[in-house]
Structure formats: C-alpha cells, structure tokens
Amino acid sequence: SLDAMNSSQLAQPFADGHIAASLAGAVPDAYAPSDAVGCVIAVAINIASSALTVCGFLLQKKANESPSRWTIGDIVISTKWILGFSVGIVLPIPAQVLAYSLAPMSLLTPLSGVSVALNMVFAPRFLGERLQRWPDVPACISILVGTLLTTLAGPRHDKQFSFGDLMSLLGRAAFIWALLALLLTVFGCIHYMRRRRTQLEHSAQARPDNPNIVEVILPALVAALCGCLTNISLKASGELMKGGAEFSNCAVWLLSAGVSALVQLNYVNRGLRLYLQTVFFPVYSALLVLTNTCYGLIFYNEYEDLLSEAGRCILFSIGIGFIVLGIFMFRMRRSDGDGAETMDEQFAELADTGMCSRPGWSCTPTTSPREPVVGVVGTGGEEVGHCTHSPIPLAGWRSIVD
C-alpha cells in the first residue's frame, strides 16, 4: 500500500475510514471504541507508526546516497533500501489497522502531522543535515496547521460502497475532468524533469541547503498526485473486501493502486536522492494530504457539500493557505556548509586549482597566460560571473560549458 497508507504520510482524509481502518473492517466513528485505555494505546501506536515511516525514509535516503548495481528508475535496489521500505511502509500497515480499531478517526487524524515534527528532529540527527531554525521550524508549523485544517474540512462520508457504486463514482464527469487534469500535470512534470534532468541534478548539488523550491515541488507533486490515486484505489479495495465482494472486483482496484504506487515510490526516491530530507519530506507530505483531501472530495462527490457549508469552505481555504505558506518559506533557507561558498570563493577555487569542483563547472588552462577568462557559466547555460567582477586575477583560465 506504500507510504501513503499510513498517517505519517499525513492522514487519509476519509473521515469514516483510513485505508487501514477499511482493511480492519472498522465501523464509523460514532460506533468506535472510546474508552480511555484504548485511546491512549491507539495514540501511542499512531506516533510509533509515524516514527517508523520517518526511519524508513531515512534508510531510503541513505540507500540513495550509496552506489548500487541495481536500480529501477530512481529507486536504488539494495539491502538498505529494502530495509527502509519494510520499516517505513510495510510495518506501519498492521499498526494502523490496530490503531483505527481502538480509537475514532476524529482523535487520530490531528496526529497525522507527527511525522513532519519527527522528521525535523531525526533528519538532522541521523543524516547530518543542518536544521535552520528559521525558516524550517515556522515552515513545518505552518504545514502542520494547514494539514490539520484541510483534513478536518475533508470528506466525511460513512457509506459502504459496492463495486457498482464505486464504478459509478469513477465515471462521473467531475472526477473524469479532475483525473484528466491530474494526469496532464503528472506527465507534464515528468516530461520537464526528464528533459532537464542534468540541469536539475546540477542545481540540486550546487544548492544543497537552499534548493530551488519549485524544483523540489516537481518530484513531490508527482509523488503526491500518484499517491492520492493509490489511496483512492486502496480505499475502494478496502470497501469491497469489507463488503465481501468478489476477488476479481477487488483486483481491478488493487492493480490500479499498484501502478500509481510504483510511480509514487519512484519520485519519492528521486526527491530523497536530490534534496535534503529536512526540506523534501514536509513538502511532499503537505502536498500528499492536500491532494488526498481534494480528490477525496471530488471522487466521493462531497465538494458540493463543502462549497455549501461556509464554515468548512473557509477552514479548507485557510488550511491550503497555511500549506502553501509553509512550503514557500523554505525558499528563505540560507546557503551553509557545502553550498555556502560565495562567488568570490568559487572564483578563488577556480584560479588556484584550475579545476572547479562546483557541480556543472569545469575549467582548463588557456594556451596563453595573457588570454583573459571569458566568463563563468552556470549549470543552466547562463553566465553567472565574469572575471571583471572578481577581486582576484583570473587570467590564464577559461570556463567551459559542461
């Protein structure tokens, strides 16, 4: 069911049944157990599940940093990656099934953002990533608030659906248009990332601490959009299993979930490989809950109810605003560590060694020491510096477009 199945990926917004709740055969919130002991146990399990998912991401991030003979797309097949997949995706499923059988969704849904907070603690500690209190902490808080508000305003259906009901929902014009928009967005982002793959990778390496947030959004958005399709399909499968439907009917939805899940997993790993987990994880998580909520509203035909209820509509809009604010606050990160060289320092390295180690840059000595440098060209082909802008002499070296 992949990472989107558990609440650490920021909550299924389906108020009567998280996928895990569906697979567990859970009943609506109104009939869920509410005793204190059960609720305490469920909260503890939910937090532990979030921790498992973050740890799984840490292991997959580590795997992406290590060379491997086997790769599938952006997925590095190694022992460490398989362990991360098992810890972060497989293990939380039974934990979520148990949690949602012990406590109502209304209690557990607000805990869905725990993973973002845990990631802010674990990623710097175990990956050596530098946490910048500004803007990382305010950005994560903004995302958490936005996630909570959009989830609370999300779908609230409590009806059990048959295979015919689900196919009827799937064939509605509103969902078909929404699905078409989703597919166009996904294919557009994938095409852009494939066409500019080298430039995007060089940009990520050149700016590790303050990556271009739009470039971070690209793989996160593809993974989130595919994740919401995975969730809808798995939710439908859970509904059918709970209603005792034939396996062939369930298999249709499970196959759909498998296809979208593979794309989702690939671009999650691409994001982890290129960017700091401190930045990528909260962006991806926020987009996942946002797409889950929006497409849950459309698929279950509840967007009309949302629009007719001013309070929910305002709550949802405010939540989206907080999420967008939190994501773009990461643009304020400073360049530190490996990405903190000033332009003068980069010029100095170029002049002293004759071989700049900055990603996408290279240089060779000219035939004449009197021949001036023609300029320094960045990864996108644009000129980002010139010898006349540097206080140090650069005669004898010429930049070459990589």
Side-chain angles (χ1 to χ4, degrees):
S1 64
L2 285 173
D3 49 0
M5 270 192 68
N6 53 71
S7 65
S8 60
Q9 296 312 95
L10 290 188
Q12 274 299 353
F14 308 128
D16 81 353
H18 186 283
I19 291 172
S22 296
L23 297 178
V27 293
D29 282 356
Y31 303 100
S34 58
D35 63 278
V37 175
C39 289
V40 169
I41 294 174
V43 169
I45 292 173
N46 194 279
I47 294 174
S49 177
S50 295
L52 284 174
T53 297
V54 174
C55 290
F57 266 65
L58 293 174
L59 290 169
Q60 290 182 60
K61 172 74 171 176
K62 285 284 190 181
N64 277 287
E65 294 174 349
S66 305
S68 176
R69 293 180 55 189
W70 305 98
T71 59
I72 301 177
D74 289 285
I75 301 173
V76 176
I77 305 300
S78 65
T79 303
K80 189 176 293 185
W81 185 89
I82 294 174
L83 180 61
F85 179 84
S86 302
V87 170
I89 298 171
V90 178
L91 287 182
I93 296 174
Q96 289 296 309
V97 170
L98 178 58
Y100 281 94
S101 67
L102 293 174
M105 285 289 296
S106 57
L107 173 65
L108 298 181
T109 293
L111 298 175
S112 61
V114 168
S115 59
V116 174
L118 292 176
N119 181 72
M120 193 167 56
V121 175
F122 289 177
R125 175 66 178 83
F126 296 103
L127 295 176
E129 299 178 356
R130 185 175 183 274
L131 177 68
Q132 298 182 10
R133 294 184 179 180
W134 173 264
D136 292 358
V137 175
C140 287
I141 291 175
S142 181
I143 288 174
L144 287 173
V145 172
T147 295
L148 176 60
L149 294 179
T150 54
T151 303
L152 292 177
R156 305 178 183 281
H157 71 270
D158 57 2
K159 178 184 176 182
Q160 184 170 329
F161 296 93
S162 66
F163 182 77
D165 295 332
L166 293 170
M167 295 305 294
S168 177
L169 291 172
L170 187 64
R172 291 179 56 256
F175 183 73
I176 290 175
W177 282 110
L179 181 62
L180 180 62
L182 182 151
L183 293 176
L184 288 175
T185 302
V186 167
F187 287 128
C189 290
I190 291 176
H191 174 71
Y192 181 83
M193 285 187 284
R194 288 177 63 88
R195 187 168 60 87
R196 295 183 58 84
R197 183 182 183 93
T198 302
Q199 292 91 335
L200 291 173
E201 291 184 355
H202 284 166
S203 175
Q205 293 168 3
R207 298 175 57 182
D209 293 294
N210 66 331
N212 185 322
I213 197 63
V214 175
E215 295 175 359
V216 176
I217 289 174
L218 287 171
L221 182 59
V222 171
L225 289 171
C226 292
C228 80
L229 292 182
T230 302
N231 284 350
I232 288 175
S233 299
L234 287 172
K235 170 65 179 174
S237 301
E239 293 282 358
L240 294 174
M241 291 178 186
K242 192 165 58 174
E246 295 180 4
F247 176 75
S248 59
N249 291 339
C250 299
V252 172
W253 291 95
L254 289 173
L255 179 62
S256 173
V259 173
S260 57
L262 286 175
V263 181
Q264 176 191 4
L265 186 60
N266 180 79
Y267 283 93
V268 164
N269 278 267
R270 178 175 176 80
L272 290 175
R273 178 171 63 84
L274 293 179
Y275 307 108
L276 296 178
Q277 184 168 320
T278 306
V279 176
F280 179 77
F281 185 87
V283 171
Y284 162 66
S285 298
L287 291 175
L288 180 62
V289 73
L290 190 57
T291 55
N292 277 344
T293 304
C294 290
Y295 276 85
L297 286 166
I298 296 171
F299 182 75
Y300 289 102
N301 198 26
E302 292 199 344
Y303 64 92
E304 294 177 351
D305 294 336
L306 175 65
L307 294 176
S308 65
E309 298 179 27
R312 283 179 64 192
C313 192
I314 293 173
L315 194 67
F316 187 72
S317 301
I318 294 175
I320 292 177
F322 272 106
I323 288 175
V324 172
L325 175 63
I327 289 174
F328 281 92
M329 283 181 72
F330 283 113
R331 297 183 64 179
M332 303 178 188
R333 285 179 61 88
R334 301 177 304 278
S335 292
D336 292 311
D338 294 336
E341 289 178 287
T342 64
M343 186 62 72
D344 285 347
E345 290 170 336
Q346 293 165 4
F347 278 129
E349 180 183 17
L350 186 67
D352 291 342
T353 66
M355 182 57 67
C356 182
S357 62
R358 301 293 296 169
W361 293 13
S362 61
C363 56
T364 56
T366 63
T367 55
S368 169
R370 295 179 179 275
E371 188 174 352
V373 170
V374 295
V376 177
V377 181
T379 57
E382 74 281 7
E383 185 174 298
V384 295
H386 194 272
C387 60
T388 58
H389 296 165
S390 174
I392 61 174
L394 291 178
W397 303 105
R398 172 182 291 149
S399 67
I400 298 177
V401 178
D402 184 5

